Amino acid sequence: MAKRKGPTPKAEDRHWHGKRQKARAVKSAKRTGTPTLGPGARAQGPSENRPAGRPAGARRATGEVPELVTGRNPVVEALRAGVPGTALYVTSGTDERVREAIQIAADRRIPLLETGKNELDRLTDGAVHQGIALQVKPYRYAHPDDLLKGTAPLVVAVDGITDPRNLGAIVRSAAAFGATGVVVPERRAAGVTAGAWKSSAGTLANIPVAQATNLSRQLKAYQKAGCFVAGLDAAGGVTVADLELASGPFVLVVGSEGKGLGRLVADTCDMLVTIPMPGKAESLNAGVAAGIALYEISRLRA
């Protein structure tokens, strides 16, 4: 048997102890600017960290940590798309794409911060940045009730969409066809990131996105408020073009391309509607399906 070298360390001094893990998480957060939840920690729930006097149903601000877009092409594309940057970090301005990014940032009055490679490595937590990074301000979500504007609101609810690019495409279609807003689940779903901003082609600046703690419960709340809720599903018995009830207060629910609508969400809908597809494709991309359905709904509401 091997001899033990030195005194046995206390439990709190061992690497697996909760205090040590928490200390490392705090140190990492200070270094990267991104909070880290270590083992045993839990995210704050809806009732935690609520400002005094704020009602339980009010939407709190989420995404307090800024997002960093790194790399020459991604940064330039984000700036071209109007992604709301708060700072542009650059180590050198000799590359053509870097110079373009600097020019766009200057035109949009985004602060330019010259930094060294080591500092940018630290800010991006070692990501491949190619000497440039764009800091994107956190998105402030609306409350789901705020989307019920006018006498005949049109809300797009998104279920099971995990790709921010799909979310951005849906937002773009919602803005194009007169929707009053988009609501997404708070958990296990895509949120408003730089990727969503880019695919929305800047329309996220013109249409609110809300988060719902429980999408099925929120759909029931919309029904109580007088909205007709229709889920887009291949098994729907009515085509979108024949949905006359879409002319009033209306909620269109769009599911993911692979799994479609969740069972609880589908059961909550007043009706399932479909898009006829005489071709050979089995399904449509969620963004494409939402665009087609919203076009038909806009014709019915005209």
Side-chain angles (χ1 to χ4, degrees):
M1 179 182 296
K3 294 182 178 180
R4 181 183 297 123
K5 296 182 180 180
T8 302
K10 298 179 180 179
E12 58 266 27
D13 293 331
R14 296 175 182 259
H15 69 88
W16 44 259
H17 195 271
K19 289 184 179 179
R20 293 288 300 276
Q21 292 184 350
K22 183 177 181 180
R24 283 199 298 272
V26 171
K27 182 178 179 181
S28 176
K30 290 181 179 179
R31 181 172 64 85
T32 65
T34 303
T36 303
L37 292 176
R42 63 188 180 93
Q44 291 181 335
S47 62
E48 298 175 313
N49 198 30
R50 183 185 300 126
R54 189 183 181 103
R59 169 63 47 220
R60 69 188 187 281
T62 56
E64 289 87 355
V65 180
E67 179 185 2
L68 281 174
V69 180
T70 61
R72 296 166 187 167
N73 285 336
V75 168
V76 170
E77 290 173 4
L79 287 168
R80 287 174 179 171
V83 174
T86 55
L88 180 65
Y89 295 93
V90 177
T91 59
S92 65
T94 56
D95 183 88
E96 182 179 350
R97 288 162 295 178
V98 173
R99 289 197 297 270
E100 181 181 355
I102 292 173
Q103 184 60 56
I104 297 175
D107 293 340
R108 292 176 49 195
R109 298 183 179 180
I110 297 174
L112 174 64
L113 303 176
E114 294 186 19
T115 183
K117 180 182 181 300
N118 291 338
E119 176 65 10
L120 199 53
D121 287 342
R122 184 188 69 81
L123 288 171
T124 60
D125 199 20
V128 178
H129 52 70
Q130 297 179 307
I132 189 169
L134 176 68
Q135 181 174 280
V136 181
K137 69 179 180 181
Y139 183 79
R140 295 188 66 85
Y141 292 92
H143 190 282
D145 293 347
D146 296 337
L147 308 185
L148 300 179
K149 298 177 181 178
T151 57
L154 171 58
V155 177
V156 180
V158 176
D159 179 37
I161 301 296
T162 57
D163 188 339
R165 294 170 297 181
N166 265 341
L167 175 60
I170 291 171
V171 170
R172 185 175 184 179
S173 294
F177 296 113
T180 52
V182 176
V183 60
V184 300
E186 189 174 315
R187 298 178 180 87
R188 296 185 294 277
V192 179
T193 63
W197 269 100
K198 285 193 290 183
S199 59
S200 79
T203 55
L204 270 163
N206 304 316
I207 184 170
V209 175
Q211 281 187 324
T213 304
N214 184 297
L215 187 59
S216 295
R217 190 183 306 145
Q218 184 56 49
L219 294 177
K220 291 177 182 178
Y222 283 148
Q223 288 168 331
K224 289 181 180 179
C227 295
F228 186 85
V229 178
L232 196 58
D233 191 276
V238 178
T239 65
V240 179
D242 296 328
L243 192 57
E244 296 181 359
L245 288 170
S247 59
F250 189 79
V251 179
L252 175 70
V253 190
V254 181
S256 66
E257 180 179 352
K259 298 180 180 180
L261 299 175
R263 181 181 60 81
L264 291 176
V265 169
D267 290 345
T268 303
C269 294
D270 295 307
M271 181 182 292
L272 296 181
V273 296
T274 187
I275 298 172
M277 292 192 298
K280 297 181 180 180
E282 294 182 358
S283 64
L284 292 171
N285 171 275
V288 173
I292 295 172
L294 286 168
Y295 167 72
E296 293 290 356
I297 290 171
S298 70
R299 293 177 63 242
L300 293 168
R301 295 168 67 90

